[in-house]
Amino acid sequence: MSSSHERTTTRTNGPERDADGVRWSASAWVRLPVMFVTMLLVIGVCAGINGVADGTALTALLAGVATGGLALAAYVGLVRYLEGRKSRELTLSQARPELGRGTLFGVGLFACTIALVAMAGDYQVHGWGSISGALTTLGLMISAAVTEELAFRGVLFRVLEEKAGTWGALITSGLLFGGLHLINKDATLWGAAAIAIEAGLMLGAAYVATRSLWLVIGVHLGWNMAEQGIFGTNVSGAGGGSAGLLDASVHGSPILTGGTFGPEASVFAILVCAVPTVLFLIAAKRRNRIHPRAATAPAARQH
């Protein structure tokens, strides 16, 4: 028999609870490493599958959709198990409209960026590229957008916000997101810093304003697809990859063009993405969605 001061445990639909009903995973410092490392492993598995399946446009598309679905299932399962709640940031009724708006917005942002590079005389179109190459790119980018946003905005930013507040989570997740791109083939410190500023901050700000992962997944997908799948330039120092709809090349000052890293390392990209970043943060402020450190945990659970 147990003594009166000993605690008993029961099983629920999630982790073990003690007699007071407190989850062992209640602390953000417990959930954060478990969930983030798990999602990084999912990124690795999905990348491996896509790398094998990119031989044809059809297999690449199928693999991209399948691995994106796998990552979504993993995230929803982690949230259900460790947090004991439904993933309101992935409400199904919002998926289609917000993915659509986000994708169009991402394409538009990159179109503005490459237009500025072209106006400087550093982007040249030589002719039509490859439709099959563009479709292959689409499959790869679907998987990348889903897995990276789930890991960095869905887990890292969202859970860290409970302890560090919105600003601390925004800066930390942005820096780590930029740092992830240092493993790419033609990565540079400047390129990683540019990614942290233009993508890490902008996508984080978009999530703060909407509290929806569908929108940020769409923006991420639209930007990457436009960058390589439409305009035929490099993505985040990952090399040439599949051809885009346009056969094009970028030459000139790396500050303006991004060099071998791609236009994401261009000062134009930073300037273009700074505008929506500020607007998203203003919207978040008006909607009372920027949380100070002390008030974050209960507020974050409500969103």
Side-chain angles (χ1 to χ4, degrees), residues 8 60 81 110 130 140 159 196 198 215-216 230 232 240 243 251 282-283 286:
T8 59
Y81 184 74
F110 186 79
S130 166
L140 296 173
V159 180
E198 75 204 19
L215 182 76
V216 294
I230 297 176
H251 303 284
I282 291 174
R286 289 176 177 172

Side-chain angles (χ1 to χ4, degrees), residues 5-85:
H5 66 273
E6 289 179 323
R7 289 187 170 183
T8 59
T9 59
T10 59
R11 291 293 297 175
T12 65
N13 291 329
E16 231 177 33
R17 297 173 182 264
D18 61 23
D20 297 325
V22 179
R23 286 175 178 268
W24 64 263
S25 59
S27 170
W29 298 129
V30 174
R31 287 181 285 118
L32 181 58
V34 172
M35 296 177 75
F36 188 57
V37 170
T38 300
M39 292 311 299
L40 288 181
L41 291 174
V42 170
I43 289 177
V45 170
C46 291
I49 294 172
N50 289 314
V52 173
D54 68 355
T56 69
L58 178 60
T59 55
L61 273 174
L62 292 175
V65 173
T67 53
L70 171 67
L72 287 167
Y75 178 86
V76 170
L78 281 171
V79 170
R80 169 68 72 179
Y81 184 74
L82 294 177
E83 299 181 358
R85 66 177 182 87

Side-chain angles (χ1 to χ4, degrees), residues 75-188:
Y75 178 86
V76 170
L78 281 171
V79 170
R80 169 68 72 179
Y81 184 74
L82 294 177
E83 299 181 358
R85 66 177 182 87
K86 293 182 179 180
S87 303
R88 291 180 293 277
E89 60 274 23
L90 285 173
T91 303
L92 285 177
S93 62
Q94 297 176 341
R96 184 174 178 179
E98 293 196 359
L99 279 173
R101 284 195 294 267
T103 301
L104 289 175
F105 186 64
V107 170
L109 283 177
F110 186 79
C112 291
T113 300
I114 204 66
L116 291 172
V117 176
M119 288 173 63
D122 295 327
Y123 175 74
Q124 298 176 336
V125 176
H126 309 296
W128 291 108
S130 166
I131 294 177
S132 64
L135 291 175
T136 298
T137 296
L138 177 59
L140 296 173
M141 296 311 169
I142 287 172
S143 182
V146 172
T147 56
E148 290 180 16
E149 289 313 307
L150 292 177
F152 284 89
R153 257 56 66 179
V155 173
L156 182 60
F157 172 85
R158 183 180 59 79
V159 180
L160 185 60
E161 187 185 26
E162 296 179 25
K163 293 296 185 181
T166 300
W167 294 113
L170 192 62
I171 293 170
T172 302
S173 62
L175 289 173
L176 289 177
F177 185 66
L180 174 72
H181 292 79
L182 285 172
I183 67 176
N184 289 349
K185 178 183 176 182
D186 296 318
T188 64

